């Protein structure tokens, strides 16, 4: 009987889910709109809608299967507690929720799904970046590695940290937040309320900020100067750089410098076999890999020099988030 | 029959060793002078002398015992390879060692001791800071903790990193080098060949450098101004601060600021239950703990705020290094 796991990727706009087997193949998939359920009071109907869609998906299967588990990747999720805790963009308080405390905005999604899928032995949640990390370990370029770092360059910078063959969640379940290492004291304002965090420089948002900083501080001509901040997209920089646009190339060099320096520090702490880059910005290939590698080695402490591999994700173009979330289940199943 | 383990602490000046039981009690101890064996060619006679002294120590025991293992703490030691690799201050090449390559300066101390103690089941080496960390986990304030960081403030800044209940050695066996995180780009010259490393600010050497920097940049009167750089000792700063010397207090505030900021970053990566401070500078108590805690919380990312304990070592005044080295054996024995 085919063993399957649900992988669920909860984003601010959409929730994607799929039925994945032990080889990382997706047999069926679906989505619901997370954005249709924005308020605190919407959480219960959201779960109801999600569960309904999942059950319908199971009904489409034309073969016998065993549902081994449900793995969930979500922002602000704690593997230890099984909860999504105070998410910035999900199920927020509205003016009529007077008297409610932000401390109570904790959603026990593992318990809530268990009630609907009692047959699934393994139900677990982790943050989306950790899910992608486990996906890389089970199905991607980190297969067989016991110590590696996964960096997801999306709107922000997500990350996951594996040591001794295990995900490092830390005491609170939130370890591995490399995006919020301070790389520039008093630097760019970060959504986390502090300044100078790595993700304000290295992410789709960060590289866009770098573009506008360099347009203001230099006179380098560039086709990018014709685009407004609101219309600007990180992809434009890759396209311009590929055509040899000097400003765009400098933007990538600078981004690689900041990231490479951070990787040198991260290596002194974690001594990984590899650092794996994933996400939109990583698709820029050598434009981002070359300067990152160069500055990483230049700033690397001697015992680690020329030892740490910098690799692209091995599951880059598939539905990684869903596969990664399912891998959370397969990891527990195989353990 | 009493089960005993050797704990060996190899320093640049002395090598201390002791026979330790499972409760962390030392039954017999001895030392030899490492500094008598400074050259590459001295390594073999060093091992011979050390083994001789260890065997003699065993002979002094008046009861029946079982030698379970030998645990060694040493600079630049790799747990994985069992070797001390290119140590900065041990067994160096002399002018007559022409043609030898620095890459060959690797000392397989585990293998070399195993030849002399075939009865000892567990023989292992790790760097001195990791040994202290395991000592804290087995016998000190980290008992029962699965995720913590240990910081040893000595001449340099040593550190150890435990996650999921295990020492994190990383791919090369050198993980957890928190002393070499860059805290100030282009900052103070570090012995590692780079600039701005944490240990150039926070360590006995670092705090002395801060003292001289502040004596040059401020006019604050201080009794410390009467002491030359060569005669200066970190302990003088504690003594002056305890008497209310304004400059000495500012030195501690600044040191705590640098350390607290670094702890905020380290927490986003490792999410520890506690950070434990050990070593000479940690003995300054509130002088160092108060500013460190304050700046750590001030720079802490929101989900971690007011959650991470800052604690003194629980085996501060005992022969921690020897006990820690022996704990390496007890950890393997208990596993």
């Amino acid at each position: 009987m085919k063993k399957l796991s649900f992988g669920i990727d909860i984003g601010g706009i959409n929730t994607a889910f799929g039925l994945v087997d032990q080889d990382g193949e997706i047999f069926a998939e679906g989505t619901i709109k997370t954005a249709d359920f924005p308020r605190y009071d919407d959480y219960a109907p959201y779960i109801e809608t999600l569960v309904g869609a999942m059950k319908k998906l199971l009904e489409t299967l034309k073969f016998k299967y065993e549902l081994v588990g449900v793995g969930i990747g979500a922002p602000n999720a704690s593997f230890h507690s099984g909860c999504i805790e105070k998410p910035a963009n999900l199920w927020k308080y509205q003016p009529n929720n007077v008297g409610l405390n932000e401390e109570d905005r904790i959603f026990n999604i593992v318990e809530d799904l268990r009630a609907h899928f009692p047959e699934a032995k393994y139900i677990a949640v982790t943050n989306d970046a950790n899910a992608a990390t486990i996906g890389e370990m089970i199905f991607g370029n980190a297969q067989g590695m016991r110590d590696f770092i996964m960096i997801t360059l999306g709107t922000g910078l997500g990350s996951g940290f594996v040591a001794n063959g295990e995900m490092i969640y830390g005491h609170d379940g939130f370890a591995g937040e490399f995006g919020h290492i301070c790389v520039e004291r008093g630097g760019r304002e970060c959504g986390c309320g502090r300044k100078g965090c790595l993700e304000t420089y290295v992410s789709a948002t960060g590289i866009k900020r770098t573009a506008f900083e360099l347009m203001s501080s230099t006179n380098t001509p560039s086709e990018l100067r014709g685009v407004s901040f609101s219309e600007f997209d990180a992809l434009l920089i890759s396209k311009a750089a590929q055509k040899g646009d000097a400003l765009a190339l400098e933007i990538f060099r600078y981004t690689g410098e900041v990231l490479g320096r951070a990787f040198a520090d991260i290596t002194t702490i974690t001594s990984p076999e590899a650092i794996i880059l994933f996400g939109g910005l990583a698709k820029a290939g050598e434009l981002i890999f070359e300067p990152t590698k160069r500055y990483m080695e230049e700033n690397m402490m001697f015992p680690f020099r020329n030892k740490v591999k910098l690799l692209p994700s091995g599951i880059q173009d598939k539905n990684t988030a869903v596969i990664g979330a399912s891998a959370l289940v397969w990891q527990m199943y195989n353990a």
Side-chain angles (χ1 to χ4, degrees), chain A:
Chain A
M1 197 154 52
K2 192 86 188 161
K3 290 179 201 306
L4 292 177
S5 160
F6 265 115
I8 305 179
D9 172 47
I10 303 180
I13 311 292
N14 287 308
T15 296
F17 52 95
L19 284 158
V20 186
D21 74 0
Q22 281 173 283
D23 298 321
E25 201 179 321
I26 301 182
F27 280 77
E29 47 191 327
T31 52
I32 65 167
K33 272 197 99 62
T34 325
D36 286 346
F37 304 88
R39 299 166 314 161
Y40 179 74
D41 299 337
D42 294 331
Y43 172 71
Y46 166 82
I47 291 292
E48 214 171 296
T49 307
L50 176 62
V51 168
M54 289 164 72
K55 298 236 178 209
K56 259 195 194 147
L57 196 69
L58 283 171
E59 286 165 18
T60 66
L61 295 178
K62 302 287 179 240
F63 52 86
K64 286 212 166 182
Y65 65 87
E66 180 193 341
L67 183 65
V68 173
V70 180
I72 310 145
N76 294 69
S78 165
F79 177 78
H80 289 332
S81 71
C83 297
I84 300 174
E85 305 186 2
K86 299 176 243 169
N89 299 309
L90 300 171
W91 314 310
K92 291 194 253 197
Y93 286 134
Q94 298 300 114
N96 66 332
N97 296 130
V98 187
L100 283 174
N101 194 319
E102 178 67 11
E103 295 301 311
D104 303 326
R105 216 162 56 79
I106 291 187
F107 305 94
N108 196 329
I109 192 160
V110 166
E111 196 176 287
D112 297 335
L113 289 182
R114 189 167 284 137
H116 294 281
F117 297 97
E119 72 275 31
K121 191 166 171 201
Y122 303 100
I123 304 192
V125 67
T126 190
N127 79 47
D128 28 15
N130 284 346
T133 306
I134 295 170
E136 201 67 32
M137 183 161 52
I138 307 283
F139 302 121
N141 278 345
Q143 287 177 63
M145 288 189 191
R146 292 181 53 76
D147 306 277
F148 74 98
I149 300 291
M150 171 105 176
I151 300 287
T152 303
L153 301 172
T155 313
L157 187 153
S159 50
F161 170 19
V162 171
N164 294 345
E166 293 178 15
M167 276 297 310
I168 300 300
Y169 294 109
H171 186 57
D172 286 315
F174 295 112
E177 285 283 353
F178 297 103
H180 295 280
I181 296 172
C182 179
V183 294
E184 192 73 55
R185 200 177 305 161
R188 297 179 184 169
E189 283 181 4
C190 183
C192 80
R194 299 176 310 148
K195 285 182 172 182
C197 294
L198 179 60
E199 78 168 19
T200 67
Y201 296 86
V202 184
S203 63
T205 323
I207 198 168
K208 175 175 162 179
R209 291 168 86 159
T210 299
F212 281 77
E213 188 176 295
L214 286 173
M215 284 195 265
S216 73
S217 64
T218 73
N219 287 322
T220 314
S222 170
E223 62 176 68
L224 299 173
R225 293 188 187 268
V227 190
S228 78
F229 194 88
S230 310
E231 289 167 343
F232 210 91
D233 182 296
L235 213 62
L236 291 174
I237 309 173
S238 308
K239 285 182 188 160
Q242 269 144 10
K243 286 187 271 175
D245 185 286
L247 194 81
L249 289 169
E250 171 60 13
I251 293 167
F252 273 106
R253 188 208 59 76
Y254 178 77
T255 306
E257 176 177 350
V258 176
L259 188 58
R261 284 180 187 279
F263 283 172
D265 276 351
I266 289 170
T267 298
T268 60
I269 296 180
T270 64
S271 184
E273 178 174 353
I275 298 176
I276 296 177
L277 287 186
F278 169 70
L281 199 51
K283 290 186 188 154
E286 278 307 292
L287 284 172
I288 185 75
F289 276 80
E290 185 280 320
T292 303
K293 178 82 182 158
R294 177 156 46 96
Y295 286 99
M296 174 171 111
E297 296 301 347
E298 206 173 295
N299 290 282
M300 193 67 95
M301 200 188 161
F302 179 72
F304 301 110
R305 212 166 277 173
N306 297 315
K307 284 187 175 172
V308 180
K309 298 170 203 152
L310 192 63
L311 299 174
S313 166
I315 42 179
Q316 186 78 265
D317 292 314
K318 303 182 196 166
N319 196 340
T320 326
V322 166
I323 294 174
S326 81
L328 195 57
V329 170
W330 298 126
Q331 196 194 33
M332 290 189 284
Y333 180 79
N334 297 331

